[in-house]
Structure formats: C-alpha cells, structure tokens
Amino acid sequence: MMSNVLVIGAGGAGSVAVHKMAMCGDIFSHITLASRRKHKCDAIAESVKQRTGVTIDTAELDADDIKATVALIKAVKPVVVVNLALPYQDLSIMEACLETGVNYLDTANYEPRDEAKFEYSWQWAYQDRFKAAGLMAVLGCGFDPGVTSIFTGYTRKHLLDRIDSLDILDCNGGDHGLPFATNFNPEINIREVTAPSRHWENGAWVEGPALAHKQVFDFEQVGPRNMYLMYHEELESLAKFYPEIKRIRFWMTFGDSYLKHLEVLSNIGMTRIDPVMFEGREIIPLQFLKALLPEPSSLGPLTRGKTNIGTIATGVKDGVQKTIYVRNICDHETAYAATGSQAIRYTTGVPAMIGAALMATGQWKGAGVFNMEQLAPIRSWTCSTRAGCRGRCWNCPRRWPSDRFLTDGNTVGRPRRVHEIRPQPRALALLRGG
C-alpha cells in the first residue's frame, strides 16, 4: 500500500521524519513538507534528494490558519497529517483534519502560547468528534512521550505481572561545545524546563519547585550525570492508562553550565512569556531570547556523544519483586550522518515516521483520540529494503519483530537493551525514591 503523507513542521524532527519516509518509498509514495518558512522546507528537500535520491514537495503554511491548512490538505490528499510543528498549533491542525476527513499524528501535546502549561485535556476533548468522523488521532508518537510508553507496555506485557513504580530517565550525553544552546526549539525547551516539577504518587499529583530534586545516575556509554525531577506529558497518560502504578516520575539530565545560564536568564526576566514594552512595541522576552540563541539545526555537525533514554520499572513477576531497565542509546554523529540532524531530533522524528507508516498501512486503525499506551505493544509489520531503507528504519531488518515498536534497536545508535537491576548502592536512591 502506497500513501501520500503531509508533514507539517520543518524543524529537526520534521527533517528526520521526511528523510526516513523517503527511505521507505514502498509505503510513502508521495511526501509533502510544509512550514511557515518554505526556504527551510526547500533546504530539507535538497538534503533528502542528496541522501536518498527521492524528491519531496514543499509548501508554505501558517498552521495557525485553519482555512489555509484545510486547503493544503485537500490539495495533497494525504492519508495522515504528521504534525511536527509547535505544540501551540495542535488544535488548529486537528480541526483541519476533522474538516478534511484525514487522520492525525503528533509528538507533543497542546500548550497555549500565553501559559506554560501542557496537558492532554484539550486534545482528549476531541475524542467524540474524531470517533464520530471515523478518524484516528495519535498523540505523543515521539520518544518521550512515545517510545517510553512503548517500553512501559512491553515491560508490563512480557517482563512484569504488575508495575508498582516507574521512572523515565532522559539523558543527553552530547556536547556541542557552545556556552548555551538548546537541542530543540529554545522557546519550548525553556518553558518546559522552568515549569514546576510534578510526579504521580498514590493517586495524586505531587508538585515542587523546578529543578529542585536532583539525583546522580550512571548512564551506560555516557557516565554519571546529574538528573532532575521534572513534569513531562507522558506522566499524565501513563497514570491514566496504567492505574496500577503507584508512582511515576520523569528525570532529565542537565549540565552545570546550562543550568547556570538558565538561572541568570531567568533572574533578569529573559525567560518571561508575558509581553513587555520595548521602544514603543510589545515583545515577549523568551521569543526575543530565542532569536539570539543558536538555531538548534546548527548543532548537528557540532554535537558529539550519545543519548540514553529509557524506563526503570519495579514490580512483581511470578510473585518475585523485580526491577527492569529498558533503554535506547543513540549516537549524535551517526544520526547526523544519516539524516543531517543530531540524536535528540533523530529519536523524535523516527518514531513519528514509524507511527505514520503504521497508520498508512492500516496496522494502527481506529476511531477517536489515542495515546501510545493504547497502541502498544503492536503486531509486526514489514518494510521494504528498496528506496534506501536497507534496514535503517530503526533497525528494521525487513521486519520489526512481534510486540515491538522500536524495541529491537536503532542502527544509528545502539540496540534496545533490557536487563534486571539487582539493587546496587548507586541505584538505591532512585529505586527507593530518595
């Protein structure tokens, strides 16, 4: 089955997704990439042509404009719209999909522009409308959220009879050599990092100050890193779809230099998202800061090192308490060589491509709004070796094994790894909640 696909968003994840789609030409017969700035789409299209020999179409689009989005969808006639634009635009694109009768997929949940608050409630409210239209909307099909939910589902189905606690660990061990830069959109990144921490425990949300709770964890192929308790959107969906789990937490690593720069910028008001007057006009300080910081796409050729992202689940198997660690390791330099993007963007764009392929081939189908927890684990599916795929679609050796979505590994990084943790001193604080 060959399908048209429309990808909205010409950032790093969008670039990776269309590169990988071009490598699976037996699934994606026609690819269109759209963004507010068409020149960015054109540059990505040139890279796709050079790397894969495939020509993709590009278009200029303001995704806040529902009518314009509807017109483009009608012109492209895709089987699925892959939203890799800003999270502010989720609802507008969902509205356009409803109006045109097209399936929808994204990697990050909706967030209003004027408030640093991201949650699924706005998109879950579309459940009845998508169901009535017979359309499928898949939310959070990136790495976290996305693959981490798949890891959780894999652990729950195959490795544990019950999960009591779950910790998601997101480590970027890469170094770009710059004093301060963000690996994805600076505005979204800083809003996320400076938000109060939240985690799920005993049926309720526990809140705290941003970046106030730190642990040291020794990450495979990266080494010891400081990681900080944060709120991340998959905590909300995991708590909803795995009510048995008593505690769910999310941790992310940050270097001391990054945090010091962020502290100074916050202290002088540069991370504010409310308008201020400057020379007779209103500006948003964080948006102004974004214009000054390095463009995330420029970090690809500079970044060295690896990412290590995974889940640690403690529970019971056959009456015995066990702790299972599932993680993926991805190399920045190899990811850049394959797609022109570093590993942070790669690990978001590849899951979006795979999700779109599963929808396009009918292996993910349904009516309504779905989170990844509702779709995992999944059946196997095939991917041709022609059109430059050659097993590179996340280690697709012509076939993803049954009940796995990305879990068999990533040839651009390292295979999915699973092992049982037998408590050691360095792990005790994390596993026991210290």
Side-chain angles (χ1 to χ4, degrees):
M1 178 184 296
M2 300 177 67
S3 304
N4 289 356
V5 62
L6 171 61
V7 178
I8 300 177
S15 177
V16 170
V18 296
H19 276 84
K20 287 296 186 178
M21 289 172 179
M23 296 175 187
C24 292
D26 60 325
I27 296 174
F28 301 104
S29 57
H30 194 89
I31 305 163
T32 301
L33 177 64
S35 175
R36 190 187 303 269
R37 296 175 178 84
K38 186 175 182 294
H39 68 89
K40 294 183 68 175
C41 299
D42 293 338
I44 292 170
E46 182 178 352
S47 174
V48 170
K49 181 69 172 179
Q50 291 175 349
R51 283 180 163 86
T52 70
V54 175
T55 299
I56 69 171
D57 285 345
T58 63
E60 182 176 333
L61 175 68
D62 177 0
D64 291 320
D65 186 336
I66 297 175
K67 290 184 178 179
T69 307
V70 166
L72 180 60
I73 294 173
K74 287 181 176 179
V76 174
K77 297 180 175 60
V79 296
V80 59
V81 171
V82 179
N83 171 18
L84 298 174
L86 295 174
Y88 316 139
Q89 299 169 316
D90 288 0
L91 303 188
S92 297
I93 298 173
M94 291 179 79
E95 288 286 351
C97 286
L98 282 169
E99 186 168 336
T100 53
V102 175
N103 296 317
Y104 169 91
L105 178 144
D106 67 31
T107 61
N109 67 4
Y110 175 73
E111 180 177 354
R113 291 181 186 273
D114 58 356
E115 183 181 9
K117 179 182 180 181
F118 49 99
E119 61 181 46
Y120 279 117
S121 61
W122 288 288
Q123 291 178 279
W124 283 343
Y126 279 74
Q127 165 68 16
D128 291 344
R129 294 176 64 192
F130 269 83
K131 187 173 182 179
L135 297 174
M136 185 179 202
V138 173
L139 310 182
C141 191
F143 206 101
D144 47 351
V147 179
T148 50
S149 298
I150 299 293
F151 284 172
T152 303
Y154 179 82
T155 299
R156 178 63 180 82
K157 181 174 182 180
H158 297 288
L159 307 175
L160 293 174
D161 299 325
R162 185 187 75 228
I163 299 176
D164 296 322
S165 68
L166 178 71
D167 287 281
I168 300 168
L169 282 61
D170 185 328
C171 171
N172 176 20
D175 182 6
H176 47 58
L178 301 178
F180 184 79
T182 61
N183 290 292
F184 56 95
N185 186 294
E187 186 177 354
I188 303 302
N189 175 261
I190 292 173
R191 284 167 62 120
E192 179 181 283
V193 172
T194 56
S197 70
R198 296 174 74 203
H199 73 275
W200 182 256
E201 190 161 2
N202 295 323
W205 292 108
V206 179
E207 298 194 6
L211 305 173
H213 192 172
K214 178 177 74 173
Q215 296 277 0
V216 178
F217 193 86
D218 191 354
F219 290 90
E220 180 185 1
Q221 298 192 40
V222 174
R225 289 290 189 274
N226 292 332
M227 62 180 190
Y228 296 82
L229 189 66
M230 292 178 56
Y231 176 69
H232 222 240
E233 59 222 69
E234 65 264 42
L235 301 186
E236 185 179 14
S237 55
L238 285 164
K240 177 176 180 178
F241 296 110
Y242 291 98
E244 71 187 55
I245 306 179
K246 297 180 177 65
R247 188 189 67 205
I248 311 173
R249 302 183 296 188
F250 181 93
W251 306 83
M252 185 175 285
T253 62
F254 299 101
D256 293 339
S257 177
Y258 176 92
L259 294 179
K260 177 55 67 176
H261 280 81
L262 185 61
E263 179 184 6
V264 172
L265 291 169
S266 297
N267 287 342
I268 63 175
M270 288 301 294
T271 62
R272 289 171 53 179
I273 62 174
D274 56 310
V276 299
M277 295 301 299
F278 176 73
E279 295 185 348
R281 59 176 293 185
E282 283 191 347
I283 66 167
I284 306 296
L286 182 54
Q287 293 178 354
F288 179 73
L289 175 63
K290 174 186 174 183
L292 299 177
L293 292 175
E295 166 63 37
S297 62
S298 70
L299 304 180
L302 304 177
T303 307
R304 307 289 184 267
K306 294 179 171 64
T307 63
N308 184 324
I309 310 173
T311 58
I312 296 179
T314 297
V316 174
K317 178 66 173 179
D318 297 329
V320 178
Q321 187 176 54
K322 293 181 178 291
T323 297
I324 304 296
Y325 186 14
V326 186
R327 71 274 190 203
N328 170 268
I329 301 171
C330 190
D331 183 84
H332 283 288
E333 293 178 78
T334 317
Y336 179 76
T339 63
S341 294
Q342 36 87 329
I344 298 294
R345 292 156 169 255
Y346 185 92
T347 53
T348 302
V350 171
M353 178 278 292
I354 295 175
L358 291 168
M359 296 175 77
T361 56
Q363 296 193 57
W364 275 359
K365 56 186 175 181
V369 175
F370 297 85
N371 287 87
M372 295 294 283
E373 293 85 356
Q374 297 169 273
L375 301 171
I378 61 168
R379 298 188 305 275
S380 62
W381 69 291
T382 58
C383 179
S384 169
T385 57
R386 64 185 294 271
C389 178
R390 294 188 298 278
R392 292 183 296 174
C393 296
W394 212 288
N395 197 37
C396 167
R398 297 192 180 184
R399 189 172 187 83
W400 278 303
S402 178
D403 287 342
R404 292 171 186 169
F405 176 103
L406 312 187
T407 53
D408 258 0
N410 163 14
T411 56
V412 176
R414 293 285 295 177
R416 175 266 311 177
R417 292 165 178 250
V418 180
H419 78 268
E420 179 182 348
I421 294 180
R422 301 183 186 279
Q424 300 295 323
R426 68 180 57 173
L428 285 177
L430 172 67
L431 301 180
R432 293 179 180 174

